[in-house]
Amino acid sequence: MRREAEQDAATPGPVTADDLDQSIQLALATLREAPEEAWHSKAGTLRWTCWETVEHLSDDYFAYAAQLGPRDPSLDGPVPFIWEPRQTEGPWNAIHADRDSGPEGLLQVLEATGAMLTAMVRTAPPELRSFHGFGVSDPEGFAAMGIVETVVHTYDLAEGLGLKWTPPAEVCARVLHRLFPDVPQDSDPWPTLLWATGRGELPGQERRTSWRWYGKPRG
């Protein structure tokens, strides 16, 4: 019993809608500090511009929210929206921001789609299961996926926009526990998440050139 209690105390706990909302709001606060002229620069090592990367992130929120929408979701494929790029090398999105709205409008799109996903995570029944390419998942899993997309793409954006970005360690720990059971458990959560997504080094580990998460509900 004592060993089980110690294991429970060491478990980071479930990923929640509050975790997702906090991550999105922190990202927005950081991105609002970017100079207007920087939005057409590349986002870190991505081939997309910073503008396109925010559209991609908004599209992730929208797509994940949509997967949680049907009462009887498909386990075999996504909700069949049309995704298409606006530029030759741009991301394939269903969501695109009006360029005439400027960065303020772009971030409004990000906040609105993030709110859609947060609301769906809050209201979808926990027993619901829906398709994702990395494994059929539940509302907690889609919240965790949304957080990964948020924190790592904000990292990419911060590099391109000349900003500083460090998400909460405890949220990163919960996401790692939920989606990345194959990563080291005794290293700092944020550097570990960057390493797990091919964006950084971790002592004693080879740098990842490909990666995935595991959406299947745990437990």
Side-chain angles (χ1 to χ4, degrees):
M1 291 294 293
R2 180 178 179 180
R3 179 173 294 179
E4 291 178 0
E6 289 174 350
Q7 288 176 341
D8 289 342
T11 300
V15 179
T16 67
D18 286 341
D19 290 333
L20 176 61
D21 182 58
Q22 179 190 29
S23 300
I24 294 169
Q25 292 303 318
L26 289 172
L28 285 162
T30 296
L31 297 175
R32 288 181 178 125
E33 299 298 319
E36 185 170 353
E37 64 275 9
W39 282 98
H40 299 294
S41 60
K42 295 293 184 182
T45 60
L46 302 182
R47 67 177 184 272
W48 303 326
T49 66
C50 291
W51 183 286
E52 290 170 334
T53 301
V54 171
E55 287 184 326
H56 165 76
L57 179 54
S58 301
D59 195 75
D60 286 333
Y61 295 153
F62 170 78
Y64 295 166
Q67 290 305 114
L68 296 174
R71 294 192 177 183
D72 186 19
S74 171
L75 304 183
D76 300 317
V79 178
F81 294 98
I82 294 175
W83 278 269
E84 58 188 6
R86 290 289 178 89
Q87 307 292 334
T88 302
E89 296 294 326
W92 288 66
N93 294 341
I95 299 296
H96 300 274
D98 182 354
R99 296 254 173 181
D100 291 340
S101 70
E104 182 178 353
L106 176 67
L107 295 181
Q108 188 176 4
V109 169
L110 184 68
E111 184 169 19
T113 52
M116 292 177 192
L117 177 56
T118 301
M120 290 307 302
V121 171
R122 287 193 196 282
T123 57
E127 65 272 14
L128 183 143
R129 299 293 183 267
S130 188
F131 174 84
H132 186 276
F134 285 165
V136 169
S137 199
D138 58 354
E140 182 197 1
F142 281 100
M145 296 176 211
I147 293 170
V148 173
E149 301 283 5
T150 301
V151 299
V152 302
H153 282 315
T154 303
Y155 171 83
D156 299 327
L157 289 159
E159 285 197 323
L161 297 169
L163 304 171
K164 294 182 179 180
W165 168 248
T166 303
E170 64 275 12
V171 174
C172 293
R174 287 193 281 275
V175 166
L176 285 167
H177 179 74
R178 177 61 179 80
L179 294 180
F180 296 92
D182 58 334
V183 305
Q185 303 296 313
D186 56 353
S187 52
D188 289 342
W190 175 226
T192 303
L193 185 54
L194 286 175
W195 171 81
T197 56
R199 287 170 170 81
E201 307 286 346
L202 201 64
Q205 304 292 332
E206 293 186 4
R207 188 182 181 101
R208 288 189 162 183
T209 56
S210 63
W211 60 274
R212 59 159 295 172
W213 61 58
Y214 296 86
K216 182 179 178 180
R218 301 184 66 180

